Amino acid sequence: MPTASQGIESQASNGSGLDTFTSVTCPFCGLHCDDLEVRNSSGADAGHLTIARNGCERAARGFERRPPPSSPQIGGRDTDLATALATAARLIGGARLPLYGGLGTDVEGVRAIMALADRSGGVVDHHLSAAIQRNMGVLQTQGWIMSTLTETRNRADLVIVVASDLMTLHPRFFERIVAPAEAMFGGVPSDRTVVLVGDCGHADAITRTGVKHVVEIPSANDDIPVVLGVLRSMLKGTQLPARDDQRVPFNELADLALRCKRAEYGVFVWAPQALAFRDGDLAVQIVTDIVRDINKTTRFAGLSLGGNDGAASAASVCSWQSGYPLRVSFASGAPDYDPYRYDIRRMLEAGEGDLLVWTASFDPEAAPPATGLPLIALATPGMRFSREPDVLIPVGTPGLDHSGRLVRCDSVVSLPLRQLRPSRLASVTEIANAIAASL
Ligand code: SF4
């Protein structure tokens, strides 16, 4: 049975009642910046964290949130943890097809939930799997040439952002990767240029991060596949008929094609979560095609910035443990991969499954979809549900309430997370393991 977390190891104490932690990894988006300085108050405000250096608004919302007091509940009534665990184990043990959704947790948490799903013949799916699938379909069918955050920071002279508001989804991407104070191999190229294709948020906000050259190519998101198709044709030298087409900015695309040909290391960047428009997966495919074409004459790569809410960790762990990417069922006794069939939202709408087990340890907004099925929620305190879960077990946030590990969005490194405050909240790992032990 999980116990209250043990004490924390403070890196520094400045004698003012504040514990200060340096080089803190942020768990609140897939970049996992590891340069934050975070303070933990003491006395009456003990446990309240504030960001002293670096960070961003998104990180502040996560670190500085004051979670309300919480207790395990059954049907909306407070209970003790042992009773909640026993009830959850009974529901899972009696289910024929439990659905394990959300999956907003760290590497160890996903491992524990997957072990539970394996044991109980369930289905696992992250709540951002639709975004993952926009990439995965392309990777599986034709492969791709990808960069990493580090390689982009050190080498890129042209960064083309495709229909993604990165200042909202990954706020420090431009500050840390495109306009860093320093980079290897002679520093940041002085002519490093960012081209924004489609709806990428406000260019002013990007300029304020230190990016010197920003070019905008406006386009409606639904037209992005067409716009990228025209760019690809231009790069291949196809003679396009002269057209007066409001949807396609021909002149700007001709200029971009020229920039691409002249670039020494170009990178197409997108956040798959942002490509939730018609044929968003086609946009990923065309970008991948362009990158492959252009590598015949110069160096180009893609860079996908996903991984929010632990999605990169969930995708990696699912691959390590089952041999397949996300959306896997263990109902047959062996892992069965099907990204359409095991979409838990689709399954709920189709009346499939008989129990929903929802995990959300980072974001109180990441609530489960409305369902008439029995619901077990392992959730960060403060989450609002469309109805009371049958069993609610509050859990700590990795990197704040307990230590852990998260895979970065470029999937080449995992970052360690530290416990920053004493916490009575157990981790998803502890809860899932305790339930499994009672099955
Ligand atoms: S950009 Fe992402 S990882 Fe970096 S501080 Fe902001 S929320 Fe955290």
Side-chain angles (χ1 to χ4, degrees):
M1 172 161 318
T3 58
S5 300
Q6 302 302 305
I8 57 173
E9 185 181 334
S10 169
Q11 270 207 337
S13 180
N14 59 16
S16 64
L18 297 172
D19 286 325
T20 302
F21 299 84
T22 56
S23 303
V24 171
T25 299
C26 172
F28 293 109
C29 92
L31 292 187
H32 301 317
C33 304
D34 56 358
D35 63 346
L36 277 69
E37 188 174 301
V38 179
R39 289 188 184 146
N40 177 19
S41 306
S42 63
D45 216 17
H48 180 237
L49 303 173
T50 50
I51 297 176
R53 283 178 53 143
N54 301 324
C56 64
E57 278 184 30
R58 189 181 180 104
R61 280 200 301 277
F63 279 104
E64 300 181 5
R65 185 170 77 93
R66 294 176 185 267
S70 58
S71 160
Q73 293 185 338
I74 293 180
R77 291 176 181 271
D78 286 358
T79 186
D80 57 88
L81 182 57
T83 306
L85 290 169
T87 307
R90 183 174 51 75
L91 286 172
I92 291 172
R96 295 182 59 203
L97 185 59
L99 309 179
Y100 294 87
L103 287 193
T105 178
D106 59 353
V107 167
E108 285 304 319
V110 183
R111 288 171 69 99
I113 293 288
M114 285 206 56
L116 199 51
D118 189 1
R119 182 104 179 262
S120 57
V123 171
V124 290
D125 181 17
H126 192 278
H127 76 99
L128 295 177
S129 284
I132 296 171
Q133 188 53 29
R134 273 178 212 117
N135 283 353
M136 194 56 67
V138 176
L139 174 61
Q140 288 170 326
T141 52
Q142 62 182 49
W144 57 15
I145 301 168
M146 297 297 274
S147 185
T148 64
L149 294 176
T150 308
E151 178 120 327
T152 299
R153 175 168 55 201
N154 289 330
R155 294 191 183 278
D157 56 352
L158 178 63
V159 176
I160 304 165
V161 182
V162 179
S164 302
D165 181 355
L166 302 182
M167 291 299 292
T168 298
L169 289 170
H170 306 282
R172 295 182 70 205
F173 172 74
F174 294 102
E175 170 206 326
R176 298 198 79 215
I177 306 302
V178 182
E182 54 188 37
M184 295 171 71
F185 314 124
V188 179
S190 59
D191 59 347
R192 178 174 280 177
T193 300
V194 172
V195 180
L196 308 174
V197 182
D199 183 2
C200 297
H202 293 293
D204 289 356
I206 296 170
T207 308
R208 282 197 293 276
T209 66
V211 178
K212 292 193 179 71
H213 312 289
V214 180
V215 176
E216 291 182 272
I217 302 183
S219 167
N221 277 349
D222 279 351
D223 292 334
I224 287 293
V226 175
V227 166
L228 292 171
V230 170
L231 175 64
R232 187 181 184 208
S233 297
M234 288 175 167
L235 283 163
K236 288 170 85 76
T238 307
Q239 289 298 317
L240 296 169
R243 297 172 55 180
D244 181 16
D245 189 332
Q246 304 259 332
R247 296 169 61 197
V248 181
F250 282 94
N251 292 339
E252 289 92 335
L253 289 175
D255 176 68
L256 178 55
L258 208 56
R259 289 179 189 276
C260 290
K261 287 177 180 168
R262 289 178 179 160
E264 292 186 6
Y265 190 115
V267 181
F268 276 94
V269 182
W270 70 95
Q273 196 179 339
L275 307 188
F277 46 77
R278 191 180 61 205
D279 296 330
D281 52 349
L282 183 57
V284 177
Q285 180 172 336
I286 299 173
V287 162
T288 306
D289 288 338
I290 292 174
V291 166
R292 194 179 52 242
D293 293 346
I294 221 169
N295 265 285
K296 290 172 186 156
T297 54
T298 188
R299 185 85 174 92
F300 246 80
L303 179 63
S304 173
L305 303 183
N308 290 5
D309 232 358
S313 300
S316 294
V317 172
C318 189
S319 298
W320 303 335
Q321 291 201 196
S322 74
Y324 295 105
L326 270 169
R327 291 185 177 160
V328 165
S329 171
F330 292 94
S332 69
D336 180 26
Y337 166 66
D338 191 324
Y340 171 76
R341 189 173 170 198
Y342 302 128
D343 172 353
I344 282 183
R345 282 182 193 271
R346 187 206 64 76
M347 295 180 81
L348 290 172
E349 285 166 13
E352 299 169 23
D354 55 359
L355 172 69
L356 178 61
V357 183
W358 191 261
T359 307
S361 60
F362 299 107
D363 182 1
E365 303 291 321
T371 175
L373 296 185
L375 170 64
I376 298 170
L378 314 184
T380 182
M383 179 166 286
R384 279 203 284 271
F385 298 90
S386 58
R387 68 170 173 83
E388 297 292 353
D390 295 81
V391 180
L392 169 64
I393 302 180
V395 291
T397 298
L400 281 69
D401 297 306
H402 62 83
S403 60
R405 185 167 291 274
L406 279 168
V407 176
R408 205 171 66 183
C409 60
D410 51 4
S411 297
V412 294
V413 67
S414 62
L415 280 302
L417 308 170
R418 279 182 294 166
Q419 183 183 5
L420 304 181
R421 62 187 173 199
S423 175
R424 301 190 65 77
L425 296 170
S427 66
V428 168
T429 312
E430 290 173 307
I431 297 298
N433 288 343
I435 293 172
S438 305
L439 285 176

